[in-house]
Amino acid sequence: MRFIGRWLGQSLTLAAGILALALAAQAPGFAEHYMAALEQRAQEQRADIAGRIDVARRFYSLPETADARAVLLHLTEREPANAEGIRRSAQRLAALEGAHRRLVEASPLLRPLLTLPAVAGGNAVIADVADSALAGYTPRLPLSLPALAYGLAGLFLGVLLAEALVSLARMPFRRATPAPRPW
């Protein structure tokens, strides 16, 4: 019976380690996917802002040489709600560009760690991009140094946690050590 218990415990430990390796190795690939999603969403925001500015230029017959600030100032006087909408879009764009810039400037080994706050739901705009990136992510096993490093870390962590759980599960079944004999 001890043989089967030991075998089962080792099998669970091995399975947990392999599962953690596979999950942790996804982190660099997801970080790259998330970076692409940030860039795409930033491009959409830029196009939205430019389109709204262009529509305002044409509607109010402003010269083509009028820059975005001049158009926004004109909109603030005539349509404050529209101007506020463009300002909010500009703030979203700044948040998206800042998050993308931080990831681009970071080392490939650190990028997965920098995506954690976004996945956890810090900034609403960034968390929305992370949610859509997570929904569209296709798991793969990239052969890269960051994937190997995260995979090994996941393997060690998975084995450690599985060993701890198996040890806790075995505790009620351990024999009590006999009391020392007085002679």
Side-chain angles (χ1 to χ4, degrees), residues 4 8 14-15 27 31 36 47 50 62 91 93 100 104 107 112 129-130 140 151 154 158:
I4 292 175
L8 185 59
L14 180 63
L62 297 174
Q91 289 172 347
L93 176 62
H100 185 264
V104 167
S107 147
V129 175
R140 60 186 183 271

Side-chain angles (χ1 to χ4, degrees), residues 112-123:
L113 296 176
L114 294 176
T115 62
L116 287 177
V119 173
N123 183 339

Side-chain angles (χ1 to χ4, degrees), residues 71-182:
V71 174
L72 195 59
L73 182 62
H74 189 80
L75 274 178
T76 303
E77 296 170 1
R78 304 267 164 94
E79 294 181 48
N82 196 4
E84 184 60 31
I86 293 175
R87 281 191 196 95
R88 276 188 261 127
S89 291
Q91 289 172 347
R92 284 192 297 272
L93 176 62
L96 292 167
E97 288 175 338
H100 185 264
R101 188 177 344 94
R102 280 189 297 278
L103 288 173
V104 167
E105 292 171 355
S107 147
L109 279 172
L110 293 178
R111 286 178 186 157
L113 296 176
L114 294 176
T115 62
L116 287 177
V119 173
N123 183 339
V125 173
I126 303 301
D128 182 44
V129 175
D131 289 343
S132 66
L134 193 57
Y137 179 68
T138 303
R140 60 186 183 271
L141 193 57
L143 297 175
S144 64
L145 182 62
L148 178 65
Y150 278 92
L152 286 176
L155 176 68
F156 291 139
L157 186 62
V159 168
L160 176 70
L161 292 174
E163 277 292 328
L165 289 174
V166 167
S167 294
L168 286 174
R170 286 184 186 156
M171 290 202 53
F173 301 107
R174 295 202 178 185
R175 292 185 214 163
T177 56
R181 298 187 183 191

